[in-house]
Each structure stands twice: as C-alpha cells, then as structure tokens.
Amino acid sequence: MPRLSYRKALNRALADELARDEEVFLLGEDIRVAASAVTAGLLKRFGPERVRDTPLSEQAFTSFATGAALVGARPVVEFQIPALLFLVFEQIVNHAHKFPLMTGGQCAVPVTYLVPGSGSRTGWAGQHSDHPYSLFAHAGVTTVVPATPADAYGLLVSAIRCDDPVVVFAPAAAMELRAEVSDPVPVPLGRGRVHRTGDDVTVVAVGHLVHDALAVADELAGEVSVEVFDPRTLYPFDWDGLLGSVARTGRLVVVDDSNRSCGIAGEVIATVVEQVRLQAPPRRVTRPDGAVLPFAPVLDRAVQPGRELLRHAIAHVSKDG
Amino acid sequence: MSGADPIWLYRTVRLIRRFEERAIELVRSGDIVGGIHPYLGQEGIAAGVCAALRPDDVVAGTHRGHGHVLAKGADPGQMMAELCGRVTGLNRGRGGSMHAADFAAGVLGANAIVGAGGAIVTGAVWARRRRGEDLVGVSFLGDGAVNEGMLLEAFNLAALWRVPVLFVCENNGYATTMPVADAVAGSISARAEAFGIRASTVDGQDPAAVHATTAAALARMRADGGPEFLEARTFRFDAHHTFEHAVRLDYRSPEEVARGRSRDPVRIAGSRLPAAERAAIDADVEAVLEAAVAQALAAAEPDPATALEYLYASGLTARTGGG
C-alpha cells in the first residue's frame, strides 16, 4: 500500500480541489515557492492567478478572501505561522463568520484558513508556537485539527467544499507523519474517530496528541484498557460519538494543546458531565494557564501536554470512584 | 462624458435626506433601537458616485451607510423595515443600520468596522473579474478610516493586482469627534498616491460634481483596470450618532455647523430643476417614505425561535444556550 506523508496529504488535497473546482484558489505568503511545502508543484500546474503570493498584509488578504467568497469563490488562505491568526482574528470572526447571519442569509463565506505547522515548532519560541484552535471553536468557526495523513487529506477537502469558513490546524508535530493510505477520501466535518477501543477510560486527544495517547494506551495495556477518541473537528464537536464512548467507559481524560483556561478540554469535560454520571472526576492535561512557550527546548517541552502527565491523569481517574 | 440626470440626482439626495429625517423620528419614538449614524449633509456623495455605476457594479459602505445602500438601488421600504428590526427588512431584521446589505443590488453591506470594506470589495471585484465580468467596485470610507492599517494594506493589494476599486473618502472633517487635523499626518490623498493610486478631490456637496469626477475615474478604471481614490469634502449636518441628541458633545462650534450647513447638497441639486419639477419629486419621495414607514411598522418582528437562523450557510446547527 502506498505511504502518504501528512504534508503530502495536504498538498494532494489542495491539488485535487484546485483541479475539481475552478472557483478554488490559494492565497498566502511564499506559496509560489512552497515555503511550507504544502503548495509544492501547484504554481506550475495551476498558474499564478490561482496560486497567489501575497505581500505581508495578512488583514487585507484575509478580507480579500472574504470578498471573493461573498461572490462565489472558494479561497484557501495559508498562514505560515499560527500567531498570524491573532492578527486576523477580527477579519475571520467579525467579518467572515458573521456575514451570513448579519445579512439574513444573503451570502455564504466559504473560505478555508490553513495553518501548516501549528503548535510548538521546537526552537521557534514564544511568537511562533501557539495553538489557538480553542479561540475559533469558542467563536463558532468550524475548526479542524487532523491527526493523521488520511484525515489531513479528507478534512482539508471537506473544509474547502464547506459553505462556511473553516480553520484547519495542521500541527507541526504531525507534519512529518507517514501512513499507508491507498486512496484518500473526504472526511466529513464534525465526526470523530475512535482510534483504539477500550473499556476503562476514554481519552480525548486533539491533533498530534492522538499519537501520544495511543502510545500511552499501548504502554498501559496490561493495567488499564484505554479508548482513544479523536474528535478531528473541534467545532462542531462530535458529541454523540464522544458520549457513546464515555457512556461505556464511565471515565474521562482530555489531552489538549490549548492553554488551560477556556481551552477546548474544559468544554469537553463540561459537556460530558452535564450528560453522563462519571465513575470518577474527569481530568485534563493541557498547556498551563497563559502559556508562552519559552525558547530552550527543555522549557518548551515543559509547558506542552506530554505523556507523563497523561499517564498520571489516566492513573488518577482509574483509581477514583 | 455626459452629465448625470439632474432629476435622478435630486430625487436621490432628497430621498436620502427625507429617509434619514424619518429614521431619526423613529429613533425618537423608539421604533428604531440602538440609534443610527445619520448621513445628513453627505447625500451628494452617495448619489453622485452611484449615478456613475452600473447595476452589476458593487459597493461596500460604512457605519454611516444608509445613503450608499439607497443610492445603489435598495428598496427604501425594505431598508426602513431593516432599521426597525422587522422580518421584511433587507437583512430580515438580522443586520440593522450598520449592516444593511442588498446583494441583489450590488450592496455588499454597510460595515460597522472602520476601514474594513476596502479589502472585501477588492476581493469581490477581483473574483468576479476572474470570471470575465468587467465590473468595478466602490469602497466608501470616512476620514477616520485612512488611519486604519487594514485599509492601507487594501490600497496596496488593489494597486498591485490592478483591481478596479474606487476608494471614496467622505471627508466630513471628524472621526466621531476627532478633527482631521489632529488625526492625519501628511494628507489623505497622499496615502493613496503613495501606492501609485491616482487621487482626485471633489466638492462632496455638489452631486453633479461628484458624478462628473467619479465618471471620469471609472472610465479610466474600466479601460485600465487599476484602482483610484476620490476624496469628497463634505460636512456632516447632524450628530455622529443619534446618541448625541441626548448627550451633547462639544467639538464643533455653532458657527462651524452653520457654515457647514450653508452648503446643502439637496438645495444645490434642487436649484438645477424647475420649481414645479422639484415639487413633484418631493411629493413622490414623501409618498414613498410614508409607505416605507407604514409598511415597516406594520411588519412582523422576527420569531425569537429563529434567532440563530442564517448563522451557518452550510446548514450546521449550533447548540443553544441551554438551561
């Protein structure tokens, strides 16, 4: 079976959608030369009209995409750095997201915002290492964080075809993954995936942390049976899928690369405990409150949710009750 | 270049004038909640610019946007219903004064965020021209917007990518209460010129002059593709926002206001028509607005159960606030 890298999966999704729909075009910084590699080969194949390099004007080119989408285009905007989303939060949340409701349904804004390399990039320090997906989930913007090459392809394709704005976070820690994928297909937005079934604890893991959760589940296999649930889309969240899992296991841990306060882990736990009587208080493993990733690699790792904390949380919820 | 139809220009400035006066009455009576940013005194700009546009051209407005929406062809009755928050409004009561839009008429929306419309209309015009349509766009903005970085970035994109957008700066002298002299280093036109965008200045109180300058700019843009900039000098006759009717803010002297109001675009446009013709237009405008107000007030308010309707074009359903 052919092996597909996560990065190549994003590239193939862009190429397939550009080929399928003339209204799709790409905007971003250094995308002609494919500085992030996800647009490699696309300039040659689709030309500079549809693979448009932009000046460093994130606010204008984000709203340019909104305007194009208002009249039927399907722009994909690449951001080289996750923190650029802070710069264009207004343009996405206050404009792209609000236009359909504010106009009483006169328009749609089908823009995809793609961040290849979100979260820590070891050594890139405070201003290049954020993972602000919870902000978009809070704002009600469709938000996906694919964990695998197949999901990277399938969710990006679905994002481009979606009639609403969608933010696609491709975690830096997942970009080099490879997997055997014969024929990648679209993955529906808003549907999670159970990567590993288990009976004792449900671990909800976001993005690259799915692989940490699977590794920990394997390590603990003799002691506790861990189910690993990957929501894939954080907003809208697959509540039915998760509640089905937790209803069986009765125990919940969430591992999430957001800052702790108001991160998606808090929302997951709150929603579950509103509807399910757990056998033990749930736990979450996150970045600390207000985290700024320090430069030195040991410090960077110290504020990211890791396997040791996850093992501890699983042990804790397994013991209680 | 043929001149604009003086009847159309007068009718349009008169319609906007009386629309705003009727809307202010409805603010006072409580039928319009949240107030409005009256366009009184600036009517000549919307009328003069839109007289030079084709139906398929697009415009993006501002928070002081009623004039742009009406002059581009939106129905006054639906517009008034929108201000009153009725289900028959342009935006089905979801937008209100600062977000009124009429995509069918080429109005991509008034916009509550200063300086936001420029990049949006640039993207819309670019995307439609890519399909072979030869439309142009207009981004209306105030003098306050010329200090917003997002707008300056939009100038750069439109100029680099040769997108025919006319950026129309309605310079009424004040960003809310901040005088231009205290807010703008350099000059307004020089901002556009710095990006290689040709800039013109016009007396915004004279609708025919605005039309002539706009038509000349649009002719160059349709032939050449690039953006242009137009600074229309004007004066806001009334408050920044109707909240000022209750809370007096001291930033313009009575003398300055009297001087500004002495050049009235409605009177200037009206003076170019015979009195009888003017009176007939006035009567027609009164009838249109009488019907608009009556229909708006008679229309139903939206059903609260539909408060989240249109939130997602994809059909996604949001969770409610619970309880």
Side-chain angles (χ1 to χ4, degrees):
Chain A
M1 196 179 282
R3 287 174 72 75
L4 181 66
S5 78
Y6 192 110
R7 204 181 289 274
K8 182 68 188 166
L10 295 174
N11 176 254
R12 195 196 287 191
L14 294 175
D16 286 357
E17 290 309 291
L18 282 162
R20 191 186 64 80
D21 184 351
E22 190 61 31
E23 289 295 348
V24 175
F25 70 97
L26 313 184
L27 272 179
E29 293 159 353
D30 310 302
I31 64 172
R32 285 188 301 212
V33 299
S36 70
V38 300
T39 53
L42 300 180
L43 172 69
K44 194 171 170 200
R45 188 167 163 202
F46 298 101
E49 271 295 283
R50 299 181 71 198
V51 181
R52 296 188 74 78
D53 252 356
T54 59
L56 308 189
S57 305
E58 292 81 11
Q59 296 183 328
F61 69 66
T62 301
S63 277
F64 179 95
T66 300
L70 286 175
V71 298
R74 291 187 176 273
V76 180
V77 187
E78 183 192 309
F79 295 96
Q80 284 185 353
I81 302 160
L84 294 177
L85 291 173
F86 298 143
L87 199 59
V88 299
F89 199 65
E90 198 277 338
Q91 284 71 28
I92 297 175
V93 173
N94 210 24
H95 284 89
H97 170 60
K98 290 183 180 175
F99 256 74
L101 185 140
M102 292 196 306
T103 61
Q106 292 183 58
C107 61
V109 188
V111 184
T112 301
Y113 312 97
L114 173 62
V115 187
S118 56
S120 170
R121 301 176 178 184
T122 313
W124 290 63
Q127 293 181 324
H128 276 28
S129 303
D130 295 290
H131 226 159
Y133 48 71
S134 294
L135 292 179
F136 291 93
H138 173 75
V141 178
T142 297
T143 304
V144 303
V145 193
T148 67
D151 283 348
Y153 175 89
L155 289 167
L156 180 53
V157 164
S158 295
I160 295 169
R161 296 181 188 178
C162 180
D163 284 338
D164 290 318
V166 182
V167 189
V168 179
F169 289 88
M175 289 287 281
E176 306 310 323
L177 290 173
R178 290 174 172 276
E180 290 185 352
V181 182
S182 57
D183 188 19
V185 293
V187 171
L189 301 173
R191 200 166 310 160
R193 171 182 172 194
V194 174
H195 278 265
R196 182 188 203 282
T197 56
D199 302 321
D200 299 333
V201 181
T202 298
V203 172
V204 176
V206 176
H208 60 293
L209 296 169
V210 166
H211 305 287
D212 294 291
L214 288 169
V216 169
D218 280 347
E219 284 172 33
L220 298 178
E223 307 154 43
V224 53
S225 171
V226 174
E227 177 145 312
V228 176
F229 181 85
D230 170 8
R232 303 196 288 192
T233 305
L234 297 182
Y235 186 90
F237 199 95
D238 182 2
W239 297 118
D240 290 343
L242 175 60
L243 290 167
S245 170
V246 178
R248 283 191 300 100
T249 62
R251 296 172 201 269
L252 174 66
V253 171
V254 186
V255 56
D256 158 31
D257 198 26
S258 297
N259 292 355
R260 197 165 184 81
S261 288
C262 303
I264 195 73
E267 180 58 35
V268 170
I269 287 173
T271 299
V272 168
V273 299
E274 278 180 328
Q275 300 189 46
V276 177
R277 186 178 293 278
L278 295 172
Q279 293 172 35
R283 305 284 285 193
R284 59 186 153 146
V285 179
T286 66
R287 292 187 181 191
D289 277 347
V292 176
L293 261 60
F295 167 63
V298 290
L299 300 179
D300 177 318
R301 281 194 295 278
V303 293
Q304 289 187 66
R307 295 183 187 183
E308 190 178 334
L309 289 172
L310 180 57
R311 278 190 290 269
H312 184 258
I314 292 170
H316 206 277
V317 302
S318 302
K319 188 171 68 214
D320 280 352
Chain B
M1 187 61 56
S2 64
D5 176 2
I7 296 173
W8 190 91
L9 284 180
Y10 176 68
R11 190 183 189 285
T12 303
V13 292
R14 177 77 187 182
L15 175 75
I16 300 169
R17 170 66 51 88
R18 292 295 297 139
F19 183 96
E20 294 295 66
E21 290 172 348
R22 296 298 301 261
I24 289 170
E25 289 170 18
L26 294 174
V27 170
R28 293 199 172 121
S29 64
D31 292 297
I32 293 175
V33 297
I36 64 169
H37 298 83
Y39 196 63
L40 297 171
Q42 304 183 199
E43 299 91 338
I45 304 170
V49 168
C50 291
L53 294 177
R54 299 192 316 220
D56 60 329
D57 293 329
V58 292
V59 306
T62 68
H63 57 285
R64 195 176 311 288
H66 303 173
H68 314 134
V69 178
L70 292 169
K72 188 65 174 67
D75 176 66
Q78 284 182 284
M79 179 67 179
M80 196 64 88
E82 186 57 35
L83 300 194
C84 293
R86 303 308 164 113
V87 74
T88 53
L90 284 174
N91 304 29
R92 299 184 168 89
R94 269 69 177 181
S97 168
M98 285 194 288
H99 307 110
D102 186 348
F103 277 58
V107 181
L108 301 182
N111 199 309
I113 301 302
V114 171
I120 291 173
V121 77
T122 302
V125 170
W126 177 86
R128 282 182 51 187
R129 286 176 75 87
R130 196 165 78 79
R131 296 188 199 120
E133 302 176 51
D134 69 344
L135 80 164
V136 300
V138 172
S139 167
F140 290 100
L141 51 114
D143 50 88
V146 304
N147 296 318
E148 292 285 0
M150 176 173 41
L151 181 70
L152 303 178
E153 290 183 12
F155 287 176
N156 190 47
L157 284 193
L160 273 179
W161 294 348
R162 308 297 298 157
V163 185
V165 171
L166 181 65
F167 295 94
V168 177
C169 176
E170 303 183 338
N171 178 3
N172 66 19
Y174 292 87
T176 308
T177 67
M178 169 65 88
V180 167
D182 292 349
V184 178
S187 78
I188 288 175
S189 291
R191 281 161 167 63
E193 287 165 344
F195 296 96
I197 297 174
R198 179 172 178 152
S200 312
T201 302
V202 70
D203 172 11
Q205 302 312 91
D206 183 341
V210 173
H211 169 264
T213 310
T214 301
L218 295 185
R220 289 188 296 268
M221 289 162 55
R222 288 190 202 278
D224 176 48
E228 293 212 14
F229 183 89
L230 176 62
E231 179 186 354
R233 302 254 170 88
T234 187
F235 190 80
R236 160 161 63 72
F237 284 12
D238 199 281
H240 163 68
H241 180 274
T242 47
F243 76 76
E244 269 188 67
H245 294 164
V247 183
R248 286 282 159 208
L249 301 176
D250 184 18
Y251 60 98
R252 302 193 302 188
S253 71
E255 296 74 31
E256 182 186 351
V257 173
R259 199 166 54 245
R261 293 180 66 108
S262 70
R263 299 207 63 248
D264 182 337
V266 177
R267 217 164 49 233
I268 290 170
S271 70
R272 291 168 182 152
L273 295 180
E277 194 156 17
R278 202 166 59 230
I281 293 170
D282 291 355
D284 180 50
V285 164
E286 290 311 301
V288 166
L289 290 174
E290 195 59 35
V293 171
Q295 285 167 14
L297 295 179
E301 291 181 295
D303 176 356
T306 66
L308 292 179
E309 209 170 326
Y310 314 117
L311 180 56
Y312 295 107
S314 64
L316 171 64
T317 308
R319 291 191 293 173
T320 63

